[in-house]
Amino acid sequence: MFFELTNSPATFQTMINELLRDLTNTGKMAAFIDNIIVGIEEEEGHDELVAEIIKRLEKNNLYVKLEKYK
């Protein structure tokens, strides 16, 4: 998060929205603050989508906690 900003959560959400906009527009995933939900009905393509999300986060110095992953 960006500290010393009064609207830090909104700023972070805007950044996440920009990073994942094209993936969100497909309807296969959603992002809210620090939660990213992948909702694909079929198993095919799930791993590739998760890998793309993680790649984009790492490219922008953002990381996920593996213990929170289900």
Side-chain angles (χ1 to χ4, degrees):
M1 291 272 187
F2 305 100
F3 296 101
E4 298 184 23
L5 292 176
T6 57
N7 62 345
S8 184
T11 303
F12 185 77
Q13 181 67 47
T14 300
M15 180 180 69
I16 292 296
N17 288 345
E18 288 297 317
L19 290 176
L20 303 173
R21 180 175 309 280
D22 59 324
L23 299 175
T24 304
N25 288 342
T26 65
K28 295 180 179 180
M29 55 94 37
F32 180 71
I33 307 287
D34 63 344
N35 294 312
I36 298 174
I37 301 166
V38 177
I40 299 178
E41 292 184 20
E42 63 277 349
E43 288 185 35
E44 185 177 324
H46 178 270
D47 293 341
E48 292 82 11
L49 181 58
V50 171
E52 177 64 25
I53 292 168
I54 291 172
K55 183 177 85 172
R56 290 183 189 196
L57 293 174
E58 286 179 345
K59 184 178 176 185
N60 290 279
N61 296 320
L62 300 169
Y63 302 95
V64 295
K65 287 186 175 183
L66 292 178
E67 61 267 13
K68 291 178 77 177
Y69 177 74
K70 293 183 183 180

